Each structure stands twice: as C-alpha cells, then as structure tokens.
Amino acid sequence: MNGRSSRNGFASRPADPERWVKAADNSPRDAGASGYTARLTIDVTPALRGRIKIAAFARGVTVADMLRGLLAREFPPTAEGDPS
C-alpha cells in the first residue's frame, strides 16, 4: 500500500462534470428574494481592479456588494415576472 486514501480528496475531479456544475446551480444561497445566485466572471486590468477595490473600501462595502448594486441599477427588471 502506498499510504494514500482511496476516498476523494479536495482537488479530485468530479466523475460527471456536467452534473456537478448543474448541482451547484440548484443550491440556494443568500441572494435576497430569488434565493439563487450565479457567479459572473469578467476580465479587468489590474489598474481597474485596484480602482474598484479602492472605491468599494471608500464606500465601506465589499466589491461584490458594490458591483451587485451597480448591476441592479443598470439592469432593472423590465416587466412583471422578469427575473430579478
């Protein structure tokens, strides 16, 4: 025996990646009224990232909260029943 455990470790790959990703979409998190969130990834320059972090710090909020507010203002629900 080589001393390794047979159980899955922290960095193990999922057997079925599609099912693993979809399962994460079904887990409720603290997202206000809807109860669900989705991760949004964007590429920004290091300079812009620094300016965003400084602005959030100056406002006393986290970067995530500040950007959620910005996106909510820029893309408000347009009609009754639209996802918020």
Side-chain angles (χ1 to χ4, degrees):
M1 204 172 209
N2 63 7
R4 290 187 180 186
S5 173
S6 63
R7 62 189 172 113
N8 290 339
F10 173 76
S12 66
R13 294 177 187 252
D16 183 5
E18 288 298 320
R19 193 174 88 201
W20 180 72
V21 169
K22 289 178 183 174
D25 290 342
N26 293 331
S27 62
R29 296 197 178 124
D30 184 21
S34 68
Y36 294 95
T37 64
R39 185 169 303 271
L40 176 65
T41 303
I42 61 169
D43 295 324
V44 297
T45 64
L48 177 57
R49 181 175 179 259
R51 292 194 311 266
I52 292 169
K53 289 175 72 173
I54 289 170
F57 181 77
R59 296 174 188 183
V61 297
T62 65
V63 170
D65 287 339
M66 185 180 75
L67 293 177
R68 280 186 203 108
L70 176 118
L71 291 170
R73 284 190 310 274
E74 289 297 316
F75 303 101
T78 57
E80 187 74 26
D82 276 356
S84 49

